[in-house]
Amino acid sequence: MLSIWKKIPEQIKRLSFLVILIVAGYLLISPLFIPPDFGKYGHFRASAVEEIASQQMNYVGHEICANCHEDVSVIKSKGYHKNVACEVCHGPAFLHAEDPGSATLEAPRGRSYCTLCHEYLPSRPTGFPQIVAISHNPMKPCITCHDPHKPEPPVTPKECSACHATIARTLSISYHIYLPCTRCHETPEKHKINPREFTPSKPSTREFCGGCHSIDAKSDKGIPRIDLATHGHRYVCWQCHYPHLPEAK
Ligand code: HEC
Ligand code: HEC
Ligand code: HEC
Ligand code: HEC
Ligand code: HEC
Ligand code: HEC
Ligand code: HEC
Ligand code: HEC
């Protein structure tokens, strides 16, 4: 067999590939292989629409839950989890809403579920409530202390680091390690309960930093000095020095 193949001239071999390609191409676009209802509405099978529409629904949305679980829905609408949909935690509930008796739902009572959103990760937005699970009240289920439908810390966190962990860690290895956060941010007590409504102040002028760093400032001797009139031109200091990790090099 192989010896016959070897005897065929090279140009005939190439030509035969071309012929096979053309025949295969023709078969592909011929009515033999294209479903009859293709192209009726557009570049797809018309019956595909019905097939997809007839699939079993999985999710119903959270509005319908209130019909039967009004108590939970009312509680949840006032808490921190108001924007976390019921089915995120309880799973797809279409069948349950149709017939609660035969299709029951699970409640995620274990610690590992809550940590999907709340485990500390530097890439989460600043201020998003995060914990380090192995040191945050280990072994006990989260729901013994936090109501999953209206979660609240049982006591107001005292430290800024409870919510601003990344900044606190950065500051703790910087030249500014001994400056308390509140030296630069005046923080209303209510910020710790309702952080987005009561925001702390942020320094806004060069003079603020100059209060310690200007050559004529009345601050401790060891603090490095700059000439406020010329150093860094008119730019605010934190365009060049990250205030939570200032470096001069
Ligand atoms: C038609 C009324 C109805 C609707 C709509 C409904 N439920 Fe239920 N649900 C019930 C009833 C009744 C039970 C109690 C069933 C039982 O004890 O076997 C129940 C039980 C539950 C449980 C079980 C809790 C446990 O004890 O472990 C959860 C969770 C739940 N529902 C969540 C939901 C969510 C989420 C929705 C909306 C997507 C929803 N339900 C919509 C009637 C309803
Ligand atoms: C953050 C996750 C989470 C969300 C969001 C959530 N649940 Fe739950 N739910 C739980 C957990 C955990 C339990 C178990 C509580 C327990 O055992 O003490 C539970 C329990 C329940 C129960 C049964 C016992 C009870 O506490 O009344 C019902 C009913 C229920 N949820 C309905 C809902 C409905 C309706 C919504 C949306 C309005 C919702 N859940 C949203 C986590 C959640
Ligand atoms: C799908 C993501 C998600 C899951 C799962 C989840 N949470 Fe949350 N949690 C949030 C969001 C979003 C907020 C509101 C954050 C905000 O207001 O900035 C929040 C807020 C909280 C807060 C309020 C902290 C504060 O004072 O600012 C606590 C406590 C909390 N969740 C506990 C839990 C517990 C316990 C569970 C498990 C039953 C859980 N969470 C599951 C998303 C989630
Ligand atoms: C023994 C009770 C207890 C248990 C169990 C517990 N917590 Fe907490 N949680 C607290 C207290 C007290 C605070 C507030 C003080 C602090 O920050 O430590 C808090 C604070 C929080 C905060 C918010 C801090 C902030 O930034 O506003 C979140 C989020 C949180 N817990 C989630 C969880 C999760 C998730 C679990 C389970 C893995 C859990 N908690 C288990 C008692 C508990
Ligand atoms: C309960 C959690 C929590 C605690 C505790 C907390 N913060 Fe915040 N903080 C937040 C949240 C959430 C934001 C809003 C973040 C955003 O909008 O991206 C925020 C924003 C800020 C901002 C920026 C304000 C702005 O206008 O950009 C500063 C500054 C700040 N916090 C400082 C502090 C200081 C200082 C402390 C301690 C005295 C503290 N925070 C304690 C949650 C908290
Ligand atoms: C030396 C003064 C100084 C100290 C100390 C300081 N900050 Fe700041 N912080 C600033 C300045 C200045 C800005 C504004 C930076 C900007 O606008 O780009 C800022 C911005 C912020 C912001 C909002 C922007 C961001 O980076 O997310 C938060 C949140 C914040 N600081 C929290 C804290 C916390 C928490 C501490 C304590 C652990 C702290 N700061 C300590 C000066 C300081
Ligand atoms: C309360 C006084 C105080 C304020 C306000 C202050 N600093 Fe500092 N700063 C210090 C101290 C203390 C050091 C560390 C001195 C040392 O140990 O070398 C320092 C160090 C520095 C350094 C030197 C780092 C190096 O590599 O030598 C820079 C840059 C700096 N701060 C920038 C700023 C900026 C920008 C601001 C305004 C957002 C600011 N500081 C506000 C006290 C302050
Ligand atoms: C345009 C960028 C820029 C701006 C804006 C700027 N700096 Fe600097 N800063 C530098 C550079 C670069 C160095 C290191 C070289 C030097 O000493 O000039 C430095 C050095 C410093 C030092 C250390 C001086 C020493 O002797 O060790 C301090 C303190 C300082 N800056 C504070 C500030 C303060 C406070 C502001 C706001 C008033 C500010 N900087 C604005 C770029 C800047």
Side-chain angles (χ1 to χ4, degrees):
M1 188 68 192
L2 209 69
S3 56
I4 303 173
W5 180 249
K6 274 187 184 151
K7 279 183 197 143
I8 300 174
E10 192 63 25
Q11 66 272 32
I12 300 293
K13 281 187 201 165
R14 289 190 194 158
L15 206 64
S16 62
F17 274 124
L18 204 64
V19 170
I20 292 170
L21 260 175
I22 290 170
V23 171
Y26 173 74
L27 282 176
L28 257 174
I29 56 163
S30 74
L32 210 67
F33 286 95
I34 294 180
D37 58 347
F38 182 87
K40 192 171 165 196
Y41 303 132
H43 199 74
F44 54 90
R45 280 184 306 121
S47 55
V49 178
E50 283 148 40
E51 271 165 38
I52 291 165
S54 69
Q55 275 181 5
Q56 173 64 50
M57 293 243 290
N58 289 324
Y59 292 91
V60 275
H62 62 275
E63 290 90 354
I64 200 169
C65 315
N67 293 348
C68 307
H69 299 292
E70 205 195 337
D71 48 343
V72 177
S73 298
V74 168
I75 292 173
K76 192 170 93 63
S77 68
K78 297 193 184 110
Y80 284 110
H81 278 168
K82 60 173 180 281
N83 294 327
V84 183
C86 314
E87 287 168 296
V88 166
C89 294
H90 290 296
F94 182 81
L95 294 174
H96 172 76
E98 298 242 296
D99 181 10
S102 63
T104 50
L105 290 181
E106 298 284 327
R109 294 188 169 86
R111 283 173 69 88
S112 58
Y113 192 76
C114 312
T115 51
L116 289 178
C117 294
H118 289 293
E119 180 68 70
Y120 174 74
L121 265 187
S123 56
R124 295 209 212 272
T126 167
F128 184 81
Q130 298 174 57
I131 49 125
V132 177
I134 48 162
S135 59
H136 183 81
N137 306 297
M139 310 306 274
K140 291 200 200 98
C142 319
I143 53 176
T144 50
C145 302
H146 306 286
D147 179 348
H149 300 135
K150 194 172 187 287
E152 249 161 44
V155 297
T156 311
K158 286 190 196 70
E159 306 295 331
C160 314
S161 60
C163 306
H164 299 291
T166 317
I167 292 176
R169 281 174 206 198
T170 310
L171 193 73
S172 72
I173 52 159
S174 82
Y175 283 108
H176 279 164
I177 175 171
Y178 296 119
L179 302 194
C181 312
T182 45
R183 177 68 178 77
C184 300
H185 303 287
E186 245 178 79
T187 310
E189 207 38 50
K190 282 188 175 154
H191 173 69
K192 297 178 183 172
I193 299 158
N194 209 338
R196 285 176 220 279
E197 213 157 300
F198 301 91
T199 46
S201 69
K202 285 190 285 190
S204 56
T205 59
R206 288 166 53 82
E207 285 69 32
F208 178 86
C209 309
C212 288
H213 287 294
S214 155
I215 24 177
D216 48 10
K218 291 180 192 66
S219 52
D220 288 352
K221 284 230 167 58
I223 296 179
R225 305 302 167 121
I226 45 107
D227 184 353
L228 202 55
T230 56
H231 182 83
H233 308 284
R234 59 199 157 74
Y235 300 108
V236 284
C237 318
W238 43 96
Q239 274 179 293
C240 300
H241 305 285
Y242 183 52
H244 307 134
L245 186 68
E247 268 171 299
K249 274 145 215 104

